[in-house]
Structure formats: C-alpha cells, structure tokens
Amino acid sequence: MEEHEKHIQALIKLHLGMERQGPGDTNYSNYILSLIKELPANPRIADMGCGAGAGTILLSDRFKSKVRAVDFSREFLNELINRAKQRGLEHLVEEIESNMGSLDWKPETIDLLWSEGAAYNLTFAGALKAWRPLMAANGIAVISEMNYFTSEVPESVQVYWQNAYPTISSESENSNHANSSGFEVLGIHRLPSKA
Ligand SMILES: C[S@@+](CC[C@H](N)C(=O)[O-])C[C@H]1O[C@@H](n2cnc3c(N)ncnc32)[C@H](O)[C@@H]1O
C-alpha cells in the first residue's frame, strides 16, 4: 500500500465510531444556521467531506430537505447511513462516495453548501474554486477552516504547520481567498474552544 493511502486508512480507523471526525459543535452549528435568513423552502443542500454525518444529520433534520452527503470514505458513509436510519432520516440523505473536489454536478444547483473540517484536504482556496460553480444564485456556503488567529505565530508552530498544512493562512487571507473566488464573505466566526 502507498504511504499516503496507509496514512488515510489509519486516520479513518482512528475516527470510526466517533460522532465527529473533526472540530465542530452542534449548538454552534445551530447558531450559525440561525444567522441565515434567506434560503428557499426546500433548500438543495450539500455536505462536503461529510464524514459520519454530524452536519448531514443536523441539516436534514432541521430543513426536512434532502442532503447530498459527499465523502470518499465508504466506512464513514456507512456510519452516516446507520445514524440516519436510527433517526428516521435516511430518505433525506443521498450518500455520494466521491472526491468532493471533482464533482460533475450541474452548476448553480446548491442553495446551502456545508463543509466542516474538510475543505483543507483540497486546500481552502482549492475547495472554494471547486465549489463556487455549484452555488445557486443567493446560495450560502458555510465552510470551516483552520486559521492563524494572530500574525505573531511562534516559530515552532509555524514549523509544525509548514509541514502539516503549508497553505494555512490567517482569517483575513482566507477572507481574501473567498472574495477572489467569487464568494461574498458574510461573516467569519470562530468555533468555541470546546469544539
Ligand atoms: C476532518 S473530517 C470531517 C468530517 C465531518 N465533516 C465532521 O465534521 O465530522 C474530513 C472528512 O473529509 C473526507 N475527505 C477528505 N478528502 C476528501 C476528498 N477529496 N473527497 C471527499 N471526501 C474527502 C474524509 O474522509 C473525512 O470524512
């Protein structure tokens, strides 16, 4: 097995059975959703890099609308489907085992694009570029991304992230990425520490 593939498999194994595979918080997600005022009655929703479905379950339950749940891990999608069945929501979940960076969906067909802790896999700029064409007119994207919160980053931290995620940026740099990818930034919110 290739080294990279081994690493991915180890990461999947590590996260199986967990509610989430990355940072996030249901109460905070509900707060963010409460800020969104303009969505159609039955929004077309996508959860990119859905993992075991923390976002997908919340969104399908809240909007009673179908969620396209995209992940390239069969194991996580299986967990998602089991959870959706337990909650009686499986009819609202469309599992899509695919690379979220190369979806051949019709342009302008997503009203709410959601992605927690997954965009970095494409780099934040790469994710925005891949997803912007999918956004419907007046569509809303909620994407979480790790950022530096300060311009005075200690050297040891810089060295670590230079190796782990070389394109890690500050909030203002990422805001610029979003604007130059054709998004309009409506807000930047920091996840609570406990998330
Ligand atoms: C940190 S986890 C977050 C999962 C979920 N959104 C959550 O918050 O619990 C990132 C997810 O992205 C998926 N992923 C990574 N790269 C991907 C790609 N190119 N296409 C589809 N899924 C991908 C992983 O399998 C994993 O489930």
Side-chain angles (χ1 to χ4, degrees):
M1 207 186 287
E2 295 264 333
E3 219 33 56
H4 179 67
E5 179 60 19
K6 270 195 204 158
H7 176 71
I8 299 274
Q9 287 309 322
L11 271 176
I12 289 173
K13 207 167 155 196
L14 184 70
H15 289 89
L16 275 177
M18 296 177 78
E19 189 197 333
R20 293 180 170 275
Q21 286 69 51
D25 176 77
T26 302
N27 289 337
Y28 202 73
S29 294
N30 275 317
Y31 162 67
I32 294 292
L33 287 166
S34 75
L35 303 176
I36 301 174
K37 302 292 175 222
E38 292 171 35
L39 279 178
N42 288 303
R44 296 161 293 179
I45 305 172
D47 183 7
M48 303 295 194
C50 61
T56 301
I57 298 287
L58 175 75
L59 296 166
S60 57
D61 197 21
R62 186 179 177 111
F63 290 100
K64 301 288 181 262
S65 205
K66 196 154 220 166
V67 177
R68 292 180 178 189
V70 183
D71 206 286
F72 63 14
S73 159
R74 183 69 259 158
E75 290 95 327
F76 288 152
L77 288 174
N78 288 344
E79 285 201 338
L80 160 61
I81 292 305
N82 284 339
R83 279 180 200 176
K85 281 184 182 152
Q86 282 164 16
R87 302 278 300 268
L89 294 168
E90 75 265 33
H91 61 295
L92 295 176
V93 175
E94 184 182 348
E95 51 166 332
I96 300 175
E97 186 180 342
S98 175
N99 182 348
M100 62 188 176
S102 54
L103 295 163
D104 60 355
W105 299 353
K106 236 173 138 183
E108 301 183 25
T109 49
I110 298 300
D111 298 303
L112 176 59
L113 185 146
W114 189 266
S115 185
E116 291 180 79
Y120 78 96
N121 289 287
L122 306 176
T123 74
F124 187 59
L128 296 172
K129 187 168 176 230
W131 299 340
R132 179 63 186 89
L134 305 177
M135 301 306 303
N138 300 320
I140 303 273
V142 179
I143 303 171
S144 74
E145 168 70 357
M146 63 187 114
N147 295 264
Y148 284 139
F149 289 170
T150 171
S151 54
E152 288 160 25
V153 183
E155 200 187 332
S156 56
V157 176
Q158 282 189 41
V159 168
Y160 174 80
W161 284 109
Q162 187 53 39
N163 184 38
Y165 186 37
T167 59
I168 187 170
S169 303
S170 65
E171 288 162 308
S172 62
E173 286 165 337
N174 278 329
S175 179
N176 290 340
H177 281 316
N179 284 321
S180 60
S181 309
F183 286 91
E184 178 191 351
V185 178
L186 300 177
I188 297 177
H189 305 269
R190 293 184 183 181
L191 277 167
S193 301
K194 77 181 174 89

